[in-house]
Amino acid sequence: MSTTRHAPARSAVSVPGPVPWSVLPFSLGTFLVLAAVATLTWPARERLFEVVAGATAASPLAGLAGLVADKGLLLLVGVTACLALVTWRRDRPAFWLLAAAGAGTVTAYATSEAVKVLVAEERPCRTVDVATVLDCPVPGDWSWPSNHATIAGALAVACLLVAPRLWPAVVPLALAVAGARVAAGVHYVHDVASGLALAVLLTVLVSLAVHAAGRRLVSRRWPTPAGPATPVTPRSTARPSRAARRTTGR
Protein backbone atom coordinates (compact mmCIF):
# COMPACT_ATOMS: atom_id res chain seq x y z
CA MET A 1 0.00 0.00 0.00
CA SER A 2 1.33 3.43 -0.86
CA THR A 3 0.41 7.00 -0.02
CA THR A 4 0.87 10.17 -2.03
CA ARG A 5 2.04 13.59 -0.90
CA HIS A 6 -0.14 16.13 -2.66
CA ALA A 7 1.46 19.42 -3.79
CA PRO A 8 -0.58 22.59 -3.35
CA ALA A 9 -2.59 23.65 -6.39
CA ARG A 10 -0.60 25.82 -8.81
CA SER A 11 -1.80 29.41 -8.89
CA ALA A 12 -3.23 30.70 -12.14
CA VAL A 13 -1.51 34.05 -11.53
CA SER A 14 1.51 34.63 -13.80
CA VAL A 15 4.54 35.80 -11.87
CA PRO A 16 6.44 38.68 -13.54
CA GLY A 17 9.81 37.73 -14.96
CA PRO A 18 13.18 38.75 -13.52
CA VAL A 19 13.86 42.47 -13.22
CA PRO A 20 16.28 43.47 -16.03
CA TRP A 21 18.63 45.54 -13.89
CA SER A 22 21.34 45.12 -16.53
CA VAL A 23 19.75 47.91 -18.61
CA LEU A 24 20.68 50.53 -16.01
CA PRO A 25 24.29 51.23 -17.11
CA PHE A 26 23.31 51.63 -20.77
CA SER A 27 20.35 53.81 -19.85
CA LEU A 28 22.44 56.08 -17.63
CA GLY A 29 25.04 56.39 -20.39
CA THR A 30 22.36 57.34 -22.92
CA PHE A 31 20.93 59.90 -20.50
CA LEU A 32 24.34 61.51 -19.99
CA VAL A 33 24.94 61.75 -23.75
CA LEU A 34 21.55 63.36 -24.38
CA ALA A 35 21.99 65.71 -21.42
CA ALA A 36 25.37 66.74 -22.82
CA VAL A 37 23.80 67.46 -26.23
CA ALA A 38 21.13 69.62 -24.58
CA THR A 39 23.74 71.52 -22.56
CA LEU A 40 26.09 72.12 -25.47
CA THR A 41 23.37 73.27 -27.89
CA TRP A 42 21.64 75.64 -25.49
CA PRO A 43 24.02 78.62 -26.02
CA ALA A 44 23.54 78.41 -29.80
CA ARG A 45 19.85 77.51 -29.67
CA GLU A 46 18.58 80.40 -31.79
CA ARG A 47 21.22 80.02 -34.49
CA LEU A 48 20.61 76.27 -34.72
CA PHE A 49 16.89 76.87 -34.93
CA GLU A 50 17.30 79.38 -37.75
CA VAL A 51 19.45 76.98 -39.75
CA VAL A 52 17.35 73.83 -39.26
CA ALA A 53 13.82 75.25 -39.29
CA GLY A 54 14.54 77.84 -41.98
CA ALA A 55 16.18 75.32 -44.31
CA THR A 56 13.38 72.79 -43.82
CA ALA A 57 10.62 75.32 -44.51
CA ALA A 58 12.26 76.20 -47.84
CA SER A 59 12.93 72.60 -48.89
CA PRO A 60 10.84 69.86 -50.55
CA LEU A 61 10.94 67.99 -47.23
CA ALA A 62 8.76 70.55 -45.49
CA GLY A 63 5.57 68.50 -45.83
CA LEU A 64 7.23 65.32 -44.58
CA ALA A 65 8.79 67.14 -41.61
CA GLY A 66 5.42 68.59 -40.66
CA LEU A 67 3.73 65.20 -40.96
CA VAL A 68 6.31 63.41 -38.79
CA ALA A 69 6.32 66.23 -36.23
CA ASP A 70 2.55 66.19 -35.96
CA LYS A 71 1.59 62.52 -36.46
CA GLY A 72 4.78 60.49 -36.09
CA LEU A 73 4.09 59.80 -32.44
CA LEU A 74 1.07 57.72 -33.45
CA LEU A 75 3.38 55.15 -35.09
CA LEU A 76 5.19 54.57 -31.80
CA VAL A 77 1.87 54.28 -30.00
CA GLY A 78 0.81 51.67 -32.56
CA VAL A 79 4.02 49.67 -32.19
CA THR A 80 3.67 49.68 -28.41
CA ALA A 81 0.02 48.62 -28.61
CA CYS A 82 0.87 45.72 -30.93
CA LEU A 83 3.67 44.64 -28.60
CA ALA A 84 1.27 44.73 -25.66
CA LEU A 85 -1.20 42.51 -27.52
CA VAL A 86 1.46 40.00 -28.56
CA THR A 87 3.00 39.73 -25.10
CA TRP A 88 -0.42 39.41 -23.44
CA ARG A 89 -1.17 36.39 -25.62
CA ARG A 90 2.26 34.75 -25.79
CA ASP A 91 4.51 36.00 -22.99
CA ARG A 92 2.62 37.18 -19.93
CA PRO A 93 5.75 38.04 -17.82
CA ALA A 94 6.94 40.31 -20.65
CA PHE A 95 3.52 41.95 -20.70
CA TRP A 96 3.84 42.86 -17.01
CA LEU A 97 7.22 44.44 -17.71
CA LEU A 98 5.64 46.46 -20.52
CA ALA A 99 2.86 47.51 -18.15
CA ALA A 100 5.50 48.71 -15.67
CA ALA A 101 7.11 50.64 -18.53
CA GLY A 102 3.73 52.23 -19.13
CA ALA A 103 3.87 53.62 -15.60
CA GLY A 104 7.32 54.97 -16.41
CA THR A 105 6.01 56.60 -19.58
CA VAL A 106 3.22 58.35 -17.69
CA THR A 107 5.69 59.54 -15.05
CA ALA A 108 8.07 60.92 -17.68
CA TYR A 109 5.26 62.81 -19.44
CA ALA A 110 3.85 64.23 -16.20
CA THR A 111 7.32 65.38 -15.15
CA SER A 112 7.91 66.98 -18.54
CA GLU A 113 4.63 68.86 -18.34
CA ALA A 114 5.37 70.06 -14.81
CA VAL A 115 8.83 71.31 -15.81
CA LYS A 116 7.39 73.15 -18.82
CA VAL A 117 4.99 75.05 -16.57
CA LEU A 118 7.69 75.90 -14.02
CA VAL A 119 10.33 77.02 -16.53
CA ALA A 120 7.94 78.68 -19.01
CA GLU A 121 10.39 78.98 -21.88
CA GLU A 122 8.84 80.69 -24.91
CA ARG A 123 8.61 78.79 -28.18
CA PRO A 124 11.31 79.63 -30.76
CA CYS A 125 8.66 80.33 -33.37
CA ARG A 126 7.63 83.32 -31.22
CA THR A 127 11.09 84.70 -30.55
CA VAL A 128 13.05 83.91 -33.73
CA ASP A 129 12.01 85.59 -36.99
CA VAL A 130 12.05 82.65 -39.39
CA ALA A 131 9.42 80.88 -41.49
CA THR A 132 8.29 77.53 -40.04
CA VAL A 133 6.47 74.49 -41.39
CA LEU A 134 3.95 74.22 -38.54
CA ASP A 135 1.99 77.05 -37.00
CA CYS A 136 3.27 78.19 -33.63
CA PRO A 137 1.34 76.73 -30.67
CA VAL A 138 -0.92 79.00 -28.65
CA PRO A 139 0.65 81.31 -26.03
CA GLY A 140 1.23 79.49 -22.76
CA ASP A 141 2.19 76.25 -24.50
CA TRP A 142 5.83 76.37 -23.45
CA SER A 143 8.90 75.00 -25.17
CA TRP A 144 11.30 73.26 -22.74
CA PRO A 145 11.35 70.29 -22.60
CA SER A 146 9.53 68.85 -25.59
CA ASN A 147 6.54 66.71 -24.61
CA HIS A 148 6.54 65.00 -27.99
CA ALA A 149 10.20 64.03 -27.61
CA THR A 150 9.58 62.85 -24.05
CA ILE A 151 6.67 60.61 -25.03
CA ALA A 152 8.50 59.30 -28.11
CA GLY A 153 11.57 58.45 -26.06
CA ALA A 154 9.52 56.85 -23.30
CA LEU A 155 7.59 54.63 -25.73
CA ALA A 156 10.81 53.58 -27.45
CA VAL A 157 12.36 52.67 -24.09
CA ALA A 158 9.25 50.71 -23.11
CA CYS A 159 9.47 48.66 -26.31
CA LEU A 160 13.21 48.08 -25.90
CA LEU A 161 12.83 46.83 -22.34
CA VAL A 162 10.56 44.05 -23.58
CA ALA A 163 11.86 43.44 -27.12
CA PRO A 164 15.40 44.81 -27.65
CA ARG A 165 15.37 43.43 -31.21
CA LEU A 166 12.95 46.24 -32.15
CA TRP A 167 15.65 48.90 -31.80
CA PRO A 168 16.15 49.38 -35.59
CA ALA A 169 12.50 50.46 -35.76
CA VAL A 170 11.73 52.31 -32.53
CA VAL A 171 15.01 54.18 -31.96
CA PRO A 172 15.13 55.89 -35.40
CA LEU A 173 11.41 56.61 -35.15
CA ALA A 174 11.78 58.31 -31.75
CA LEU A 175 14.73 60.34 -33.04
CA ALA A 176 12.78 61.26 -36.18
CA VAL A 177 9.84 62.54 -34.13
CA ALA A 178 12.17 64.58 -31.91
CA GLY A 179 14.16 65.97 -34.84
CA ALA A 180 11.01 66.81 -36.80
CA ARG A 181 9.81 69.01 -33.94
CA VAL A 182 12.87 71.20 -34.52
CA ALA A 183 12.68 71.00 -38.32
CA ALA A 184 9.00 71.93 -38.29
CA GLY A 185 9.79 75.03 -36.22
CA VAL A 186 8.16 74.43 -32.84
CA HIS A 187 11.15 73.50 -30.65
CA TYR A 188 14.81 74.22 -30.05
CA VAL A 189 17.37 71.40 -30.30
CA HIS A 190 17.96 71.45 -26.55
CA ASP A 191 14.19 71.08 -26.01
CA VAL A 192 14.03 67.73 -27.77
CA ALA A 193 17.37 66.48 -26.42
CA SER A 194 16.20 67.26 -22.88
CA GLY A 195 12.88 65.52 -23.51
CA LEU A 196 14.62 62.37 -24.74
CA ALA A 197 17.03 62.42 -21.79
CA LEU A 198 14.18 62.81 -19.32
CA ALA A 199 12.30 59.96 -20.99
CA VAL A 200 15.22 57.54 -20.86
CA LEU A 201 16.04 58.25 -17.22
CA LEU A 202 12.55 58.26 -15.71
CA THR A 203 11.04 55.51 -17.84
CA VAL A 204 13.80 53.06 -16.98
CA LEU A 205 13.98 53.90 -13.27
CA VAL A 206 10.21 53.87 -12.72
CA SER A 207 9.72 50.77 -14.87
CA LEU A 208 12.30 48.74 -12.96
CA ALA A 209 11.02 49.94 -9.58
CA VAL A 210 7.38 49.17 -10.40
CA HIS A 211 8.27 45.81 -11.93
CA ALA A 212 10.36 44.82 -8.90
CA ALA A 213 7.58 45.87 -6.50
CA GLY A 214 5.00 43.94 -8.47
CA ARG A 215 7.19 40.86 -8.56
CA ARG A 216 7.67 40.94 -4.78
CA LEU A 217 3.95 41.43 -4.21
CA VAL A 218 2.91 38.54 -6.46
CA SER A 219 5.59 36.21 -5.08
CA ARG A 220 4.55 37.00 -1.52
CA ARG A 221 0.84 36.54 -2.12
CA TRP A 222 1.12 33.53 -4.40
CA PRO A 223 4.28 31.62 -3.40
CA THR A 224 5.92 29.35 -5.93
CA PRO A 225 4.19 25.96 -5.65
CA ALA A 226 6.01 22.78 -4.71
CA GLY A 227 6.84 20.08 -7.26
CA PRO A 228 4.53 17.27 -8.35
CA ALA A 229 3.17 14.70 -5.95
CA THR A 230 5.66 12.01 -4.94
CA PRO A 231 4.45 8.51 -4.08
CA VAL A 232 5.77 7.17 -0.79
CA THR A 233 5.73 3.50 0.10
CA PRO A 234 5.68 2.88 3.87
CA ARG A 235 8.06 0.30 5.30
CA SER A 236 6.28 -2.96 6.11
CA THR A 237 6.22 -3.91 9.79
CA ALA A 238 5.23 -7.56 9.21
CA ARG A 239 7.89 -10.16 10.06
CA PRO A 240 9.08 -12.29 7.08
CA SER A 241 7.93 -15.88 6.90
CA ARG A 242 10.14 -18.75 8.17
CA ALA A 243 10.87 -19.86 4.58
CA ALA A 244 11.92 -16.33 3.68
CA ARG A 245 14.22 -16.12 6.72
CA ARG A 246 15.94 -19.38 5.70
CA THR A 247 16.42 -18.03 2.14
CA THR A 248 17.80 -14.61 3.14
CA GLY A 249 19.50 -15.68 6.29
CA ARG A 250 17.48 -13.20 8.39
Side-chain angles (χ1 to χ4, degrees):
M1 181 177 180
S2 63
T3 59
T4 303
R5 295 193 184 102
H6 294 281
R10 180 177 293 271
S11 172
V13 177
S14 60
V15 178
V19 181
W21 297 110
S22 58
V23 304
L24 274 178
F26 178 78
S27 302
L28 291 175
T30 304
F31 165 76
L32 291 175
V33 170
L34 291 169
V37 171
T39 302
L40 293 174
T41 57
W42 184 82
R45 61 191 182 280
E46 293 185 354
R47 179 57 183 158
L48 285 172
F49 178 79
E50 288 178 357
V51 171
V52 176
T56 303
S59 76
L61 296 177
L64 178 61
L67 180 63
V68 174
D70 193 35
K71 305 297 184 183
L73 200 56
L74 296 177
L75 292 177
L76 276 169
V77 173
V79 171
T80 308
C82 290
L83 186 59
L85 179 61
V86 170
T87 53
W88 173 260
R89 298 185 62 180
R90 299 183 181 179
D91 189 353
R92 198 61 60 85
F95 173 82
W96 295 125
L97 177 57
L98 186 61
T105 300
V106 172
T107 302
Y109 167 73
T111 303
S112 172
E113 187 64 31
V115 172
K116 285 170 73 80
V117 173
L118 290 174
V119 176
E121 180 185 62
E122 192 60 84
R123 294 270 183 171
C125 45
R126 295 190 182 281
T127 59
V128 180
D129 186 16
V130 62
T132 59
V133 175
L134 294 181
D135 294 334
C136 204
V138 298
D141 188 348
W142 308 112
S143 189
W144 186 84
S146 166
N147 280 346
H148 276 73
T150 301
I151 298 172
L155 291 175
V157 169
C159 292
L160 292 176
L161 284 174
V162 176
R165 66 185 179 278
L166 291 179
W167 75 264
V170 297
V171 172
L173 186 53
L175 293 176
V177 171
R181 299 299 289 177
V182 179
V186 291
H187 277 293
Y188 292 112
V189 174
H190 75 278
D191 293 341
V192 298
S194 299
L196 292 173
L198 183 67
V200 171
L201 181 65
L202 289 184
T203 304
V204 169
L205 291 180
V206 173
S207 299
L208 297 184
V210 170
H211 187 60
R215 181 176 172 82
R216 285 195 300 269
L217 179 62
V218 172
S219 300
R220 187 178 306 163
R221 188 166 183 179
W222 292 281
T224 303
T230 304
V232 178
T233 303
R235 180 176 295 180
S236 176
T237 57
R239 289 177 59 82
S241 66
R242 183 176 299 176
R245 289 200 300 270
R246 284 199 301 268
T247 302
T248 62
R250 296 181 182 178

